[in-house]
Amino acid sequence: MAKLRTPSYDKVGPILVRITAVMLRSAVYLLMWIIIACPLAVTSLCSDGTKLDQISDTQTLPNHTSGEFSGNTPIRGAASCAAATCHGGPLPGNASPVAPRGSEYSLWLSRDPHSRSWRTLCSNESLVILEKLRIIRSGKLADIAGFQNCLACHNTTGLGTATVMSAAANNATRENTLRPEISEGVGCEACHGPAESWYHEHFRPSFRSSAASSAITGNHTEFPGNRVDGFVDLKSILKRAQRCASCHVGDADRDMNHDLIAAGHPILNFEFASYHEALPKHWREKTDTARDRRAKLWLAGQFAMAQAELNLTLARAEQSHAASVWPELSVFQCSDCHQALTSAITKPMPNANTSLFDSTSLLGTLAKDPPRTAVQLRDSGNLNPRRWNLAGMESIFQAAPGRDAEELREQLASLENKLVTYGLRPDRTSRTTIATRTRSLAENLLNLESQFSESITHWDRARQANVASGLLRSDNLIRDWEFACRAYSAAWAVDISFSADVAHTTTANESLLILREGLIFPIGTQSSLFPRRDSRRQPLDINHWKKAAEACAEELEKLQL
Amino acid sequence: MNLLGERNKEIYQGISEYKLDAQASESIMAITRLRVVIVLVKTHLSLGFSSARRSASASFPACLLAQRAGRVLLPTGSLYYCLSVLISLGFFLTERLLIAQAPTSVNQPQFTAIGVKECAACHSNPSPIHQRLGITSFVRMVEAREWLNHDRHALAYKYVDPKHNELTRKICEKLGWSPSGDEFVSQCLTCHAGVDHRAKRPSESVLQYGVQCESCHGAGSQLTRVEHHQQVNWRAKTPAQKKALGMNDLRSPKDSAEICFSCHIGEIDQNRFVTHAMYAAGHPPLPPVDFQSLLDAMPPHWKSLAEKPVPAIDGQPSPQRFELQDEYFAANFGDKYKMPVGQMAIRQSYRRTQASLIGGQVAQQVAIELLRDAASRENLWGDYALYDCNACHHELQRPSQRRQAAGRIPGRPFPMAWWLAELPTEALENRLPGPRIMAINDVFNAKPFGQRMQVLEAMNEFVVESPTSAERSRIMTGAQVRQWVQQLITLRDDDIHDYWTAKQTGWMVTIACRELLHHKSVSREPIDRLLHELSQELDLPIAKPRNSPSAQSIFLELEKNNRFDPQRTREILRQLLPQVEQNLQSERLDAQTIR
């Protein structure tokens, strides 16, 4: 503490005069500074502020996945489809293996996990997440935007409807207090589109779904008497994949970001073909494409996943979504940050030997066999972008080769490079650069869409086998859990059971099982929906697993498809 | 096994225990011995030529002392003037010649004009004349030797010298720096050799002493040294006066801690900041700090206050006297030293606890300034090294052992936990406002890594007038120390989530309890046992100075950090709390019990 020096009394007079002079002078300077500095300060503050953060040249990307529904088009709710004479017919018995027409609602309600997604949101685990995120504070809804972000995926009718919000605000989302029609989970309209404008039309003979679907992209087709808006033609595999990916990956309205993961939400590792396979069907597929369906689904999934990821990254980087924050940590590989500070000798992960891929981390990029490609790519302490969704771009380029694809490949590489360079830098420049690059990439991918959907129709099991064996023979296979999963899913999508070539099929099937075994999450790290590894089983040997991958690739190449 | 870790382990093992070349210290000693002989001879001669003191003292510091003595014995005579000048000059030349002929080896220290050499010339070996004049009762005069032979700071550069250290080469390679390039100097040697990052790269002979005298004591100039430091009335100057001349007040825990933490925590202005890139490339983690415990681990090259002879009081002669003794104590302690209570204050107040407390405050201050400075620079903002390692580096599983303090949103990294852990400061008047630390939560909860401008604003609010309780005359009473321990344990109970916060707390508690025990003759058993348990649990003993940081110790430290169970530490501290209350109630201000 500075000691105040008391001036002697005879000096007080001159000192007062001097003080006054100094004060006057300072006042003048201060005034000048205020005049000069104020506009400057405002600009500089805004450069990092939240209000003026929006990028000036923001244009709305023609967003065909889901953005067009949000809040504008009312949702009627699944109950409006549930009439017994419409889609609420009796469930098929054992005698009827394929879904009979008219029982769609009943099938969805009783078998489809989507109908239970509201209950998931009301579970105790979810409440813990909501409280951790301060969406709910002391029993009251505190963050409406955050809650909307949850409802965007978990509840069709919840998106912005006042009823749900107020009900939730009063009752902290407890299911028993909410009426079933407003808490339906992922209902019919989540995938088929808001029914308000086509509800009265869609049973008429004049209603053609393929024509109606064009309404999605903004060309509202006029039907006799009524305008049809919002119907999604799910006969197209690509459209279907895009609908799924809008929640299971995310999009401009649905951001399952690192905040949610940190609060306890499981990470989204979506793979369209296998999810599609696992979904209890309430529809009938055409039988003539059955042989190649898995392969087509797989390819469509690669496109949809990449597209959704780009849309999501764009929304994050442009901060156009209320729940998004930048820097967004989940853009990067989990294990790049979440790794032990020391080696395995000092911190073995629990049950480290139960999985091949977790010697240092949950989704561990395999550190057993260095050098990691990742390490070569980045500088010390930098992060790699997560490739679960974007890795499929390579398959898109293979399926739809051409100049556009080449350009896309370059753009993707440059975006990934920027992500590596900037990492989690929070400044505006890095954010806008990433936004600009993502935007141009997303736009170019969108331009490729029609050409690509054409390639899907030509895609078959032979080409799929080609892709799969290429992935299985890659060096990255044993370094990267995510890559290995992609390779496995590609091989699985070849759907070898259709082959008459019994000898090769058996070997391939066996090696596929081994591959799958090695990829299962270790105990203690799985989410409840994922298959658990049996702790009594012998841990898999990496060499054994590697051999299985080689064998599988070999069989796929030999297989008569 | 993680091979990345394996690789690092190998590198760490590469740092073998570096011993300063015996020849280097030998040659210093040889020169010193020569100097002593010369000085002795000179002293005898110059006894009669005190009129020559101006010229002589300019070249030989020791002549000054001799002249002081001479002035008393003999009258000034102009007769001897010319002779004395000639003889002094002769000895000056002889000395230079002898030094030049001293055995040279590869590691022969090449002193610069201002640097270790100048200090070591006097502060290496007490001469008989020093002893005769009672100087050694007041200054040890072995400071440079002690530092060179026992203090790890002398090896700060040798350890990281790319020529010897494989880890340094690896770090440089990973960061894309050339070991002989500018980045190595401006990023590494700012701490490891006290280099000014704006200046040109100093020569190897300057660098080789690492963190040397002037790094801490303050850089001086030849002029101030001769004109002031080597004059006898230097000791009568107040710390403020000395500071004005460039010498830091290292007796003040505040000033001293600021200097230590400039490297041990970081200071961006000085380019002393271990970035995340450097950690990721292999730099060992900077451990938490407790000022007094760090100081205890350092081989003392100074005389503690209690070891200095206090001037006579109440007619009792002081056991040892030195010139300007009264003035020295008056300059450093004001008038209090004259009273018995004041003497007690100097000797017996709880200085160690006080240093620990002030050090804690300064650490917080330095950390806050580090955050502020980082937030004010866009290129540094968001460097992961500003944040708690455990915020990201934790396992992903349920149930998780993640350590998350209350009031923080998951997924939003928070600054290094121990930087901002609560510190009870009621024991001292000046304090950082503790509850405001909680307000920082909001800033870092706002978005991942915090909103830069908000952080800047919040940190600017925090950079308050730093604790000046280091006022030298302040006394901390036993009651205050007890209060401090109790509050520390109570407040930190919620804060102890990570190993490093716990370790800092453990050090602080130990320092305070040990000092309380020291001033009391009570049953030590339960407290001793608990302190021992605490020390075991948190691995509190700091490696002895000459033990190099081996691979094993770094990994053990990180392992401790990984496996740390806060519950165990909390239990020990909770058991300690009533013991502090019961057993350390009464205190005796008995000067005899002081060592």
Side-chain angles (χ1 to χ4, degrees):
Chain A
M1 262 187 293
K3 279 180 188 167
L4 277 178
R5 205 166 285 175
T6 331
S8 54
Y9 285 106
D10 54 344
K11 284 179 185 168
V12 165
I15 284 175
L16 274 178
V17 172
R18 282 181 68 182
I19 287 175
T20 326
V22 167
M23 279 172 68
L24 270 172
R25 215 181 307 156
S26 341
V28 171
Y29 281 136
L30 197 68
L31 209 69
M32 276 170 62
W33 275 112
I34 287 171
I35 292 166
I36 298 167
C38 261
L40 285 173
V42 168
T43 4
S44 65
L45 273 177
C46 288
S47 67
D48 208 57
T50 43
K51 284 292 170 202
L52 299 182
D53 251 357
Q54 305 300 331
I55 300 157
S56 54
D57 58 352
T58 302
Q59 301 148 6
T60 12
L61 192 69
N63 192 340
H64 59 284
T65 47
S66 84
E68 74 283 0
F69 300 159
S70 55
N72 307 326
T73 325
I75 301 285
R76 297 182 65 90
S80 65
C81 316
T85 49
C86 298
H87 298 292
L91 286 170
N94 286 343
S96 139
V98 280
R101 288 193 189 279
S103 63
E104 290 85 357
Y105 173 81
S106 323
L107 278 166
W108 167 81
L109 190 65
S110 59
R111 298 186 188 170
D112 196 320
H114 287 104
S115 68
R116 294 191 288 276
S117 84
W118 173 258
R119 269 185 254 172
T120 310
L121 191 61
C122 295
S123 66
N124 286 333
E125 288 98 321
S126 300
L127 279 182
V128 169
I129 296 177
L130 290 169
E131 270 158 16
K132 274 188 182 167
L133 289 168
R134 301 183 179 185
I135 290 172
I136 291 175
R137 289 184 103 162
S138 52
K140 290 266 187 293
L141 189 66
D143 174 9
I144 293 182
F147 191 59
Q148 286 236 28
N149 190 33
C150 302
L151 293 180
C153 288
H154 282 275
N155 194 43
T156 323
T157 54
L159 200 61
T161 58
T163 347
V164 170
M165 300 306 288
S166 61
N170 293 331
N171 296 296
T173 75
R174 282 291 177 189
E175 58 179 321
N176 50 6
T177 56
L178 287 179
R179 299 199 308 282
E181 66 267 27
I182 57 164
S183 52
E184 63 175 23
V186 181
C188 315
E189 287 156 289
C191 303
H192 295 281
E196 188 62 28
S197 61
W198 50 265
Y199 178 73
H200 298 290
E201 295 292 332
H202 74 289
F203 47 82
R204 290 173 201 266
S206 60
F207 184 84
R208 281 171 300 127
S209 58
S210 54
S213 68
S214 62
I216 284 300
T217 48
N219 311 320
H220 303 290
T221 314
E222 296 290 332
F223 281 89
N226 274 316
R227 211 185 74 157
V228 171
D229 193 4
F231 185 85
V232 181
D233 177 25
L234 293 177
K235 285 205 178 71
S236 149
I237 285 180
L238 188 58
K239 274 274 181 295
R240 211 182 286 178
Q242 284 166 341
R243 294 305 306 144
C244 296
S246 72
C247 280
H248 285 277
V249 175
D251 66 11
D253 294 322
R254 299 171 173 90
D255 191 355
M256 211 294 288
N257 54 26
H258 184 265
D259 286 350
L260 276 123
I261 301 172
H265 194 288
I267 193 170
L268 302 179
N269 281 334
F270 179 60
E271 203 286 302
F272 177 58
S274 47
Y275 275 47
H276 189 277
E277 186 85 355
L279 186 74
K281 309 281 184 301
H282 56 257
W283 67 91
R284 278 187 266 187
E285 299 276 15
K286 278 186 197 161
T287 43
D288 55 337
T289 56
R291 293 169 70 88
D292 294 321
R293 188 177 301 126
R294 260 195 208 173
K296 287 184 204 294
L297 285 169
W298 186 85
L299 188 66
Q302 303 304 312
F303 188 90
M305 282 153 67
Q307 197 172 37
E309 175 80 17
L310 288 175
N311 287 345
L312 180 62
T313 311
L314 183 61
R316 283 164 173 173
E318 290 187 343
Q319 298 191 325
S320 57
H321 189 282
S324 294
V325 280
W326 193 264
E328 173 50 47
L329 289 88
S330 65
V331 171
F332 298 93
Q333 301 243 6
C334 308
S335 53
D336 277 4
C337 290
H338 297 294
Q339 52 179 304
L341 284 171
T342 51
S343 69
I345 45 160
T346 56
K347 193 189 183 190
M349 293 299 290
N351 302 305
N353 57 351
T354 53
S355 172
L356 295 170
F357 289 96
D358 66 338
S359 54
T360 54
S361 54
L362 165 66
L363 303 173
T365 39
L366 186 68
K368 278 182 182 172
D369 192 13
R372 282 162 50 175
T373 42
V375 174
Q376 290 164 348
L377 178 72
R378 65 195 174 141
D379 291 336
S380 158
N382 277 0
L383 308 173
N384 284 304
R386 188 167 177 253
R387 292 210 172 79
W388 180 271
N389 295 312
L390 288 179
M393 296 275 272
E394 195 49 47
S395 311
I396 300 168
F397 306 145
Q398 284 172 17
R403 277 216 344 262
D404 292 347
E406 282 308 313
E407 199 186 325
L408 270 175
R409 185 177 281 150
E410 275 168 31
Q411 282 185 336
L412 178 66
S414 102
L415 174 67
E416 289 191 333
N417 271 336
K418 280 288 164 212
L419 283 170
V420 170
T421 320
Y422 290 143
L424 293 168
R425 291 193 62 82
D427 59 294
R428 189 185 145 90
T429 326
S430 359
R431 187 170 62 74
T432 46
T433 312
I434 284 167
T436 320
R437 304 223 170 186
T438 316
R439 167 174 292 280
S440 69
L441 189 55
E443 277 168 358
N444 286 349
L445 193 64
L446 192 64
N447 293 336
L448 199 70
E449 188 177 316
S450 54
Q451 188 198 340
F452 183 73
S453 76
E454 190 65 25
S455 351
I456 292 180
T457 56
H458 301 310
W459 195 252
D460 57 16
R461 286 153 68 240
R463 294 184 193 196
Q464 179 69 23
N466 198 19
V467 168
S469 66
L471 288 173
L472 285 172
R473 286 185 188 283
S474 164
D475 287 341
N476 285 334
L477 189 72
I478 52 153
R479 292 188 190 137
D480 186 346
W481 182 84
E482 297 192 349
F483 187 92
C485 286
R486 209 165 88 78
Y488 166 75
S489 74
W492 170 85
V494 177
D495 214 355
I496 42 179
S497 55
F498 277 96
S499 175
D501 194 348
V502 181
H504 289 307
T505 313
T506 321
T507 334
N509 256 333
E510 274 166 13
S511 39
L512 267 180
L513 282 175
I514 296 170
L515 284 183
R516 183 172 182 275
E517 171 96 16
L519 295 170
I520 294 177
F521 278 30
I523 288 166
T525 52
Q526 72 274 48
S527 99
S528 57
L529 283 174
F530 286 90
R532 282 159 195 262
R533 170 181 286 278
D534 187 348
S535 58
R536 287 161 302 183
R537 290 185 69 158
Q538 283 290 313
L540 257 175
D541 176 39
I542 183 75
N543 291 322
H544 183 47
W545 191 84
K546 229 154 106 181
K547 264 182 205 146
E550 270 164 33
C552 189
E554 216 165 281
E555 297 306 320
L556 285 177
E557 281 155 12
K558 285 183 198 160
L559 211 56
Q560 300 289 315
L561 291 161
Chain B
M1 190 181 288
N2 184 350
L3 276 140
L4 198 69
E6 267 297 283
R7 208 163 56 228
N8 278 351
K9 197 178 150 204
E10 279 165 26
I11 296 165
Y12 281 120
Q13 272 162 353
I15 327 167
S16 61
E17 186 175 344
Y18 181 83
K19 286 202 167 115
L20 189 74
D21 201 294
Q23 278 182 318
S25 53
E26 271 300 300
S27 47
I28 287 188
M29 290 312 300
I31 293 168
T32 318
R33 258 180 252 121
L34 266 172
R35 278 189 161 231
V36 169
V37 172
I38 292 162
V39 162
L40 276 175
V41 177
K42 273 191 296 191
T43 310
H44 285 295
L45 283 166
S46 59
L47 281 177
F49 311 124
S50 52
S51 64
R53 68 177 182 276
R54 271 247 155 256
S55 63
S57 66
S59 31
F60 311 114
C63 285
L64 181 83
L65 302 167
Q67 284 147 16
R68 290 255 160 219
R71 194 172 50 185
V72 184
L73 299 173
L74 287 172
T76 312
S78 57
L79 180 68
Y80 302 113
Y81 180 79
C82 296
L83 259 177
S84 73
V85 170
L86 280 173
I87 290 171
S88 294
L89 202 68
F91 272 102
F92 177 76
L93 289 171
T94 323
E95 193 184 34
R96 294 286 135 159
L97 216 75
L98 282 167
I99 289 169
Q101 283 173 354
T104 48
S105 66
V106 187
N107 284 333
Q108 162 91 31
Q110 296 294 314
F111 294 128
T112 51
I114 300 174
V116 177
K117 176 211 172 180
E118 289 293 331
C119 307
C122 295
H123 290 277
S124 284
N125 217 6
S127 66
I129 195 76
H130 287 142
Q131 281 159 2
R132 199 183 309 158
L133 293 172
I135 305 282
T136 45
S137 68
F138 157 73
V139 198
R140 295 179 66 191
M141 297 311 286
V142 293
E143 291 82 0
R145 198 179 64 196
E146 285 287 311
W147 161 81
L148 190 63
N149 288 344
H150 300 295
D151 198 314
R152 237 180 345 187
H153 287 106
L155 302 181
Y157 173 72
K158 296 274 184 189
Y159 269 141
V160 301
D161 186 353
K163 284 199 289 292
H164 308 301
N165 190 331
E166 196 197 344
L167 178 63
T168 309
R169 292 197 293 273
K170 291 270 178 192
I171 292 176
C172 285
E173 185 194 321
K174 280 187 189 172
L175 293 168
W177 297 349
S178 156
S180 55
D182 289 341
E183 281 116 333
F184 181 70
V185 179
S186 66
Q187 304 294 324
C188 307
L189 297 186
T190 45
C191 282
H192 284 280
V195 170
D196 181 358
H197 68 281
R198 286 163 289 241
K200 268 176 63 187
R201 182 187 177 122
S203 66
E204 201 72 5
S205 58
V206 178
L207 291 177
Q208 66 174 331
Y209 291 108
V211 180
Q212 38 95 351
C213 318
E214 286 172 305
S215 309
C216 300
H217 290 278
S221 66
Q222 190 67 31
L223 190 69
T224 50
R225 190 148 310 167
V226 174
E227 300 254 301
H228 301 284
H229 178 63
Q230 288 168 350
Q231 304 294 333
V232 74
N233 62 352
W234 173 255
R235 69 186 67 148
K237 289 191 194 303
T238 61
Q241 286 170 327
K242 287 179 182 171
K243 200 164 185 175
L245 291 166
M247 194 194 216
N248 292 327
D249 178 16
L250 295 184
R251 282 232 178 270
S252 144
K254 181 197 156 243
D255 290 16
S256 185
E258 275 172 1
I259 290 160
C260 297
F261 299 161
S262 168
C263 286
H264 285 264
I265 292 175
E267 188 178 347
I268 283 174
D269 283 340
Q270 303 286 330
N271 240 23
R272 291 168 179 166
F273 177 49
V274 187
T275 59
H276 184 262
M278 285 152 92
Y279 284 128
H283 193 288
L286 288 187
V289 289
D290 168 53
F291 178 61
Q292 188 57 48
S293 307
L294 275 187
L295 218 55
D296 288 349
M298 201 172 150
H301 56 253
W302 56 87
K303 250 187 195 309
S304 86
L305 223 47
E307 290 165 332
K308 297 209 176 190
V310 184
I313 19 157
D314 298 339
Q316 293 173 350
S318 168
Q320 284 171 303
R321 281 200 57 83
F322 57 86
E323 207 174 340
L324 297 177
Q325 192 176 17
D326 285 301
E327 288 83 344
Y328 171 77
F329 279 92
N332 285 294
F333 307 104
D335 284 340
K336 284 183 182 165
Y337 82 97
K338 284 179 185 158
M339 295 168 287
V341 177
Q343 294 222 335
M344 215 86 81
I346 293 166
R347 297 190 140 217
Q348 203 197 350
S349 74
Y350 291 80
R351 291 206 163 265
R352 291 168 57 77
T353 311
Q354 195 185 9
S356 170
L357 197 166
I358 293 168
Q361 285 181 306
V362 172
Q364 219 165 51
Q365 188 81 26
V366 170
I368 283 169
E369 280 169 20
L370 187 68
L371 282 166
R372 181 200 60 186
D373 292 349
S376 65
R377 290 161 170 80
E378 198 165 353
N379 62 332
L380 271 180
W381 177 239
D383 193 285
Y384 313 139
L386 294 168
Y387 302 89
D388 201 343
C389 313
N390 292 319
C392 293
H393 295 288
H394 62 76
E395 28 59 332
L396 294 174
Q397 61 168 343
R398 275 185 269 173
S400 171
Q401 297 166 345
R402 203 152 20 131
R403 301 130 196 165
Q404 182 97 42
R408 292 175 195 166
I409 294 180
R412 303 280 159 91
F414 199 77
M416 195 67 90
W418 66 267
W419 286 357
L420 299 173
E422 287 280 359
L423 209 59
T425 43
E426 280 78 7
L428 288 174
E429 282 167 23
N430 307 299
R431 52 180 181 261
L432 280 180
R436 281 210 287 171
I437 286 174
M438 296 310 286
I440 291 187
N441 276 347
D442 294 337
V443 176
F444 286 95
N445 276 341
K447 69 180 245 184
F449 305 105
Q451 166 65 262
R452 187 167 78 94
M453 283 303 169
Q454 282 176 13
V455 172
L456 190 59
E457 203 176 299
M459 294 304 157
N460 268 330
E461 258 181 52
F462 267 89
V463 181
V464 288
E465 183 68 25
S466 49
T468 49
S469 39
E471 284 166 41
R472 311 173 74 93
S473 51
R474 269 204 66 86
I475 308 165
M476 208 170 167
T477 64
Q480 282 175 326
V481 173
R482 245 191 337 272
Q483 188 195 357
W484 146 256
V485 181
Q486 287 167 6
Q487 285 178 349
L488 186 69
I489 294 175
T490 321
L491 268 178
R492 289 268 170 114
D493 198 57
D494 295 334
D495 264 349
I496 293 177
H497 291 277
D498 68 309
Y499 174 55
W500 285 337
T501 312
K503 197 163 183 173
Q504 195 204 23
T505 316
W507 275 326
M508 286 175 163
V509 168
T510 309
I511 291 281
C513 286
R514 288 247 177 263
E515 203 169 29
L516 279 170
L517 280 176
H518 179 78
H519 286 264
K520 255 185 68 63
S521 50
V522 287
S523 156
R524 311 166 69 99
E525 200 282 315
I527 295 184
D528 259 346
R529 181 177 51 81
L530 286 169
L531 288 179
H532 180 71
E533 275 178 31
L534 194 67
S535 166
Q536 292 286 305
E537 173 68 20
L538 298 172
D539 201 16
L540 291 184
I542 302 174
K544 281 283 166 273
R546 280 287 162 168
N547 295 349
S548 65
S550 70
Q552 214 50 38
S553 72
I554 289 166
F555 276 84
L556 283 177
E557 178 80 3
L558 283 173
E559 187 188 4
K560 277 266 180 192
N561 189 13
N562 280 336
R563 291 184 184 280
F564 175 67
D565 176 17
Q567 210 46 46
R568 178 87 189 100
T569 308
R570 279 187 203 144
E571 267 166 34
I572 298 175
L573 288 177
R574 280 173 196 161
Q575 286 174 32
L576 198 61
L577 195 57
Q579 293 297 335
V580 172
E581 255 165 67
Q582 287 163 21
N583 277 332
L584 301 172
Q585 273 294 326
S586 65
E587 57 169 314
R588 283 188 297 142
L589 268 176
D590 185 355
Q592 297 308 308
T593 62
I594 313 304
R595 67 198 140 134

